[in-house]
């Protein structure tokens, strides 16, 4: 995907969110660190322009909620970082760049509920590449790209990578 294709996809997703939620009242977008954060911020800005109302956007750090941390010894315990707004009673959309096995989203749900009890939680993924290991499905998908396990999707965003594109890369032995 080129920069313009990413932008068009985000505009479409913003309209889908507004349509599904009948506006932006009670809506909050939470980006999963790293690349979910700028995507959530861009979507929040687009929705605010469409609906003429502010949309809260926040940051979710799932570092200590992942199940792929070392299994030697006790798992580290830390206090959750601040999302940026109160999620309790809100309709939350978790935003991530690539949906793959579902393990990142499972960790994100654990982290999110440590911040409060949202009324509802939905998932938005810019790219869904399949290969789920957990029963997790995105409500909003920018693009579905079938991949093999030997391929990876690289999302590059100007806020983090100083370039804007989505690449399909094949791993070599």
């Amino acid at each position: 995907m080129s920069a313009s294709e990413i932008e068009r996809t985000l505009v479409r997703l913003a309209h889908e969110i507004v349509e599904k939620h009948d506006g932006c009242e009670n809506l909050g977008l939470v980006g999963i660190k790293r690349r979910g954060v700028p995507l959530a911020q861009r979507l929040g800005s687009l929705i605010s322009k469409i609906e003429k109302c502010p949309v809260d956007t926040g940051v979710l750090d799932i570092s200590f909620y992942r199940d792929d941390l070392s299994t030697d010894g006790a798992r580290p315990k830390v206090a959750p970082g601040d999302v940026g707004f109160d999620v309790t009673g809100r309709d939350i959309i978790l935003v991530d760049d690539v949906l793959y096995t579902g393990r990142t989203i499972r960790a994100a749900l654990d982290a999110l509920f440590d911040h409060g009890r949202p009324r509802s939680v939905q998932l938005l993924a810019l790219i869904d590449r399949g290969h789920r290991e957990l029963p997790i499905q995105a409500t909003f998908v920018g693009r579905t790209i079938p991949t093999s396990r030997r391929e990876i999707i690289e999302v590059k965003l100007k806020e983090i990578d100083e370039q804007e594109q989505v690449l399909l890369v094949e791993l070599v032995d």
Side-chain angles (χ1 to χ4, degrees), residues 27-136:
L27 184 65
L29 303 176
V30 177
I32 299 171
K33 260 188 171 176
R34 268 187 83 198
R35 288 172 182 82
V37 174
L39 292 172
Q41 291 166 341
R42 290 187 203 179
L43 285 162
S45 176
L46 289 166
I47 293 168
S48 292
K49 286 177 187 170
I50 294 166
E51 287 296 298
K52 310 287 189 272
C53 71
V55 176
D56 288 330
T57 59
V59 177
L60 192 61
D61 185 353
I62 64 165
S63 300
F64 293 99
Y65 292 86
R66 298 189 58 92
D67 63 3
D68 57 358
L69 288 173
S70 172
T71 55
D72 298 334
R75 290 181 60 165
K77 298 267 188 215
V78 295
D82 187 27
V83 168
F85 63 93
D86 186 9
V87 300
T88 301
R90 304 282 298 273
D91 295 312
I92 301 298
I93 299 177
L94 283 175
V95 180
D96 203 9
D97 58 346
V98 179
L99 177 56
Y100 182 34
T101 63
R103 293 185 181 278
T104 295
I105 305 309
R106 188 218 42 89
L109 289 168
D110 288 347
L112 181 67
F113 278 83
D114 278 352
H115 292 282
R117 188 178 188 281
R119 183 171 84 171
S120 69
V121 180
Q122 296 175 315
L123 175 61
L124 180 146
L126 180 64
I127 306 293
D128 183 347
R129 63 168 289 192
H131 303 284
R132 221 71 82 238
E133 295 174 3
L134 299 172
I136 290 175

